[in-house]
Amino acid sequence: MVAQADSEFLFEKVALIGVGLIGSSLARAFRSRRIVRQISVSARSQATLDRVLELGLAESAHSDPVKAVEGADLVILCAPVGTYDSIASVIGPHLKPGVIVTDVGSVKQAVIRDVDQYLPDGVHFVPGHPIAGTEKSGPDAGFAELFDGRWCILTPPPGADHRAVEAVTELWRRCGSMVEIMEAGHHDKVLAITSHLPHLIAYTIVGTATDLEESERAEVVKFSAGGFRDFTRIAGSDPVMWRDVFLNNREAVLEMLQRFSEDITVLQRAIRWGEGDTLENLFFRTREIRQGVVEAHQAGSFDPREPKADQ
Amino acid sequence: MVAQADSEFLFEKVALIGVGLIGSSLARAFRSRRIVRQISVSARSQATLDRVLELGLAESAHSDPVKAVEGADLVILCAPVGTYDSIASVIGPHLKPGVIVTDVGSVKQAVIRDVDQYLPDGVHFVPGHPIAGTEKSGPDAGFAELFDGRWCILTPPPGADHRAVEAVTELWRRCGSMVEIMEAGHHDKVLAITSHLPHLIAYTIVGTATDLEESERAEVVKFSAGGFRDFTRIAGSDPVMWRDVFLNNREAVLEMLQRFSEDITVLQRAIRWGEGDTLENLFFRTREIRQGVVEAHQAGSFDPREPKADQ
């Protein structure tokens, strides 16, 4: 390890608005890798603010986001995306020209719609989305290595300031991520199928199991290793965050859900009428995408933590 | 490690009919833990038979299952369940009184229906299902520790021979498993929700992604860490095995699929109409089942390999 001089800090003062899993992981990465000099946070509950200071994640912690952004040259929104509108309306007037605003929300078109309107001229908005996380929530759940080897997608609007985009890109690189620039609408479509629909389905099937007759429900937990366990993990993710994702990526999620429903109806019919070929053909086809995912891993692009599936 | 005397072998000669992931894992466990004295296998392809002998998994390998069961005091069906009917019809007349027949199939009522009719009096049938596996297939994919700490469900029909059930129970215990006795119909219902429906859904969503427009499909693989990757793993499972599971547990799978479809339709409507409370309420409820699964883990009942989910 080469020691970094103070002059190598990328930002002087970063304000994290919201400090759950992602926000607290960023704070830890900023600290341990000396990426920013000073961190202020804002959170709604006093318990979270106290905990953040106990954990040493920030120099200052404020219930008022206006206090947190004071003197910050980078502001990162790390709260559920449904809160962005009101946060932006509150902090907007207090942002000085030259400040960069970014975020970590799982949807991007709605975020641009909600945030951009409140930002004064000369404030640079560079929306972002790290494809990283766990099913855990809160400031205790974070860890500095969360973003290592993961993609972070940035969706700067047309005409975004080039240097601001470069600064946010460098921030994520120093956090260990690979950065991809993408149009916001395209992001929302791709994430609808790779993340939002899988979460919606996982929540649904775990809910279906919750409603089972008592005798079967106990055994669902006991024998969850048959595949169900993977779904319970995904369905253990933060409820408020995910509510906001679905409400704010409605069109793309409904479009993918409609396609999924058509496809599963075809399989349902094949099962009912004993059409084994229809099933087998699909099951062979899906192996190709799996192969692509495995190969992407081998190329070093993904997290190597690859668990075994159960049958 | 205490050395075991030869007299502690549980069976003198075991015939494995089919030697893929599960069959080859059993062969490895039988060998390394000295559970049986001698192993014969049967498989349909010469390549598999050659490979089994190369790997040293058996003393003898036969394309004809009748040759494999010759002199065996335990026969284990490890092929896709759709083949059980014809296998049983072929080997049935060659089984001597006192022989135990068991299997590893993921459905149990259909297996009893298909196999029992061909077994002569005095042959003991003890259907079984290890809740263990990976998404990989074939004799090279197996490993001796696959069953460690996993449940194995036995579904002996009413009036099954007590000593035969005990012998099969002991076999699985020596392979590292915990054994649960269950009625076959109940097994099929529980597995429909914990294993069969999750696999059907995973195959479906990966298929839906496969059909996406070209530009999006490439990025589905690239950004699969958002949740989709877990589904591709499950959907990489053996196509023929799973085709047979769905065709042979039709009623229970269709029943659970119907419930799932109703539940996801409610969420679809909630997303369309912006009803955040409906979403949030479900997402909080599903955390309870997740908690149950985590606690079952802590009680040492499950595989500790618990990967992180991504958002």
Side-chain angles (χ1 to χ4, degrees), chain A residues 5 101 151 182 226 249 257 275 281 302:
Chain A
V101 176
W151 288 99
M182 199 182 284
N249 196 19
L257 181 51
E275 294 165 355
N281 288 344
F302 285 85

Side-chain angles (χ1 to χ4, degrees), chain B residues 55-84:
Chain B
L55 291 167
L57 298 181
E59 275 74 27
S60 66
H62 314 269
S63 58
D64 182 356
V66 171
K67 292 243 173 69
V69 304
E70 205 175 87
D73 48 352
L74 176 68
V75 175
I76 311 181
L77 306 179
C78 304
V81 294
T83 64
Y84 281 16

Side-chain angles (χ1 to χ4, degrees), chain B residues 12 15 34 57 66 71 91 109 119 184 188 194 216 221 235 284 297 299 311:
Chain B
E12 286 298 310
R34 297 176 61 78
L57 298 181
V66 171
I91 65 173
Q109 285 177 296
L119 302 183
D188 288 354
T194 57
E216 284 153 18
V221 168
F284 271 109
H297 268 261
Q311 76 196 14

Side-chain angles (χ1 to χ4, degrees), chain B residues 56-305:
Chain B
L57 298 181
E59 275 74 27
S60 66
H62 314 269
S63 58
D64 182 356
V66 171
K67 292 243 173 69
V69 304
E70 205 175 87
D73 48 352
L74 176 68
V75 175
I76 311 181
L77 306 179
C78 304
V81 294
T83 64
Y84 281 16
D85 185 293
S86 72
I87 291 171
S89 72
V90 168
I91 65 173
H94 302 274
L95 299 171
K96 297 274 184 307
V99 171
I100 296 173
V101 175
T102 184
D103 79 305
V104 299
S106 302
V107 302
K108 297 271 66 84
Q109 285 177 296
V111 160
I112 292 171
R113 175 200 67 201
D114 289 349
V115 172
D116 216 25
Q117 58 186 326
Y118 298 111
L119 302 183
D121 286 348
V123 169
H124 308 299
F125 186 37
V126 184
H129 177 205
I131 315 296
T134 78
E135 74 281 15
K136 305 217 169 65
S137 316
D140 284 282
F143 52 99
E145 302 76 20
L146 178 60
F147 311 106
D148 278 343
R150 298 309 188 92
W151 288 99
C152 181
I153 299 174
L154 303 182
T155 63
D161 183 78
H162 194 62
R163 283 167 306 175
V165 174
E166 275 186 3
V168 176
T169 299
E170 178 61 18
L171 183 82
W172 283 105
R173 290 216 175 109
R174 291 205 195 172
C175 288
S177 292
M178 305 164 295
V179 175
E180 176 100 355
I181 307 283
M182 199 183 283
E183 189 271 322
H186 189 65
H187 166 279
D188 288 354
K189 273 192 205 169
V190 169
L191 270 290
I193 185 79
T194 57
S195 179
H196 306 171
L197 187 55
H199 276 79
L200 189 70
I201 287 169
Y203 278 122
T204 303
I205 192 171
V206 175
T208 304
T210 304
D211 292 337
L212 283 178
E213 293 70 14
E214 178 65 42
S215 67
E216 284 153 18
R217 198 166 58 224
E219 291 177 327
V220 164
V221 168
K222 192 166 183 180
F223 302 111
S224 64
F228 186 70
R229 191 179 59 194
D230 289 332
F231 289 71
T232 69
R233 192 182 56 249
I234 297 175
S237 302
D238 186 69
V240 174
M241 175 200 141
W242 280 99
R243 176 201 66 192
D244 285 0
V245 168
F246 295 122
L247 295 179
N248 285 284
N249 196 19
R250 185 171 62 184
E251 302 306 326
V253 169
L254 289 177
E255 161 69 19
M256 290 303 164
L257 181 52
Q258 185 57 39
R259 293 183 187 211
F260 170 82
S261 295
E262 291 164 15
D263 292 346
I264 205 162
T265 300
V266 170
L267 294 186
Q268 183 170 1
R269 190 178 191 287
I271 292 170
R272 192 177 299 283
W273 294 98
E275 295 165 355
D277 288 353
T278 303
L279 300 173
E280 193 180 338
N281 288 342
L282 172 68
F283 300 170
F284 271 109
R285 277 174 60 218
T286 56
R287 286 196 147 180
E288 290 173 31
I289 276 214
R290 173 62 186 165
Q291 196 53 40
V293 170
V294 170
E295 281 165 11
H297 268 261
Q298 289 175 337
S301 303
F302 286 83
D303 188 314
R305 297 169 298 189

Side-chain angles (χ1 to χ4, degrees), chain A residues 123-137:
Chain A
V123 168
H124 308 298
F125 186 36
V126 184
H129 177 204
I131 314 298
T134 76
E135 75 281 15
K136 304 216 169 64
S137 317

Side-chain angles (χ1 to χ4, degrees), chain A residues 35-55:
Chain A
I35 299 169
V36 306
R37 187 187 301 275
Q38 195 187 337
I39 300 170
S40 66
V41 306
S42 170
R44 284 203 285 198
S45 87
Q46 190 58 46
T48 299
L49 294 171
D50 293 344
R51 188 63 186 145
V52 162
L53 295 176
E54 272 173 41
L55 292 167

Side-chain angles (χ1 to χ4, degrees), chain A:
Chain A
M1 295 283 282
V2 178
Q4 287 185 311
D6 271 13
S7 60
E8 291 186 37
F9 283 124
L10 196 59
F11 291 95
E12 285 298 310
K13 181 177 175 183
V14 170
L16 297 168
I17 312 300
V19 63
L21 170 69
I22 300 292
S24 73
S25 293
L26 281 175
R28 288 174 171 96
F30 292 164
R31 282 234 183 289
S32 66
R33 300 176 191 191
R34 297 177 60 78
I35 299 169
V36 306
R37 187 187 301 275
Q38 195 187 337
I39 300 170
S40 66
V41 306
S42 170
R44 284 203 285 198
S45 87
Q46 190 58 46
T48 299
L49 294 171
D50 293 344
R51 188 63 186 145
V52 162
L53 295 176
E54 272 173 41
L55 292 167
L57 298 181
E59 275 72 29
S60 67
H62 313 271
S63 57
D64 182 357
V66 171
K67 292 242 173 68
V69 303
E70 206 174 85
D73 48 352
L74 175 68
V75 175
I76 310 180
L77 306 179
C78 305
V81 293
T83 65
Y84 280 16
D85 185 294
S86 71
I87 291 171
S89 72
V90 168
I91 64 173
H94 302 274
L95 299 171
K96 298 275 185 304
V99 170
I100 295 173
V101 176
T102 185
D103 80 304
V104 299
S106 302
V107 302
K108 297 271 65 81
Q109 285 177 296
V111 160
I112 293 170
R113 176 199 68 202
D114 290 348
V115 172
D116 217 25
Q117 59 185 327
Y118 298 111
L119 301 184
D121 286 349
V123 168
H124 308 298
F125 186 36
V126 184
H129 177 204
I131 314 298
T134 76
E135 75 281 15
K136 304 216 169 64
S137 317
D140 284 283
F143 52 99
E145 301 77 21
L146 178 60
F147 310 106
D148 279 343
R150 298 309 188 94
W151 288 99
C152 180
I153 299 174
L154 302 183
T155 63
D161 183 80
H162 195 61
R163 283 166 308 175
V165 175
E166 275 187 1
V168 176
T169 299
E170 179 61 18
L171 184 83
W172 283 106
R173 291 217 175 110
R174 291 206 195 170
C175 288
S177 291
M178 302 164 295
V179 175
E180 177 99 354
I181 308 283
M182 199 182 284
E183 190 271 322
H186 189 66
H187 166 280
D188 289 355
K189 273 191 203 168
V190 169
L191 270 290
I193 185 79
T194 57
S195 178
H196 306 170
L197 188 56
H199 276 79
L200 189 70
I201 286 169
Y203 278 122
T204 303
I205 193 172
V206 175
T208 304
T210 305
D211 291 338
L212 284 178
E213 292 73 13
E214 178 66 42
S215 67
E216 285 154 17
R217 198 165 59 224
E219 290 177 328
V220 164
V221 168
K222 193 167 182 179
F223 302 112
S224 64
F228 186 70
R229 190 179 59 193
D230 288 331
F231 288 70
T232 69
R233 191 181 59 248
I234 297 174
S237 302
D238 186 69
V240 173
M241 176 202 140
W242 279 99
R243 177 202 65 192
D244 285 1
V245 168
F246 295 121
L247 295 180
N248 285 284
N249 196 19
R250 186 171 61 183
E251 303 306 326
V253 169
L254 289 178
E255 162 69 18
M256 290 303 165
L257 181 51
Q258 185 57 38
R259 294 182 186 210
F260 171 83
S261 295
E262 290 164 14
D263 292 346
I264 205 163
T265 300
V266 170
L267 293 186
Q268 183 171 1
R269 190 178 190 287
I271 293 171
R272 190 177 301 282
W273 293 98
E275 294 165 355
D277 287 352
T278 303
L279 300 173
E280 194 180 337
N281 288 344
L282 172 69
F283 300 171
F284 271 109
R285 276 174 60 218
T286 57
R287 286 196 147 181
E288 289 173 31
I289 276 216
R290 173 62 186 164
Q291 196 54 37
V293 170
V294 170
E295 281 163 14
H297 268 263
Q298 288 176 339
S301 304
F302 285 85
D303 189 315
R305 296 170 298 191
E306 181 75 348
K308 293 198 182 295
D310 311 298
Q311 73 196 14

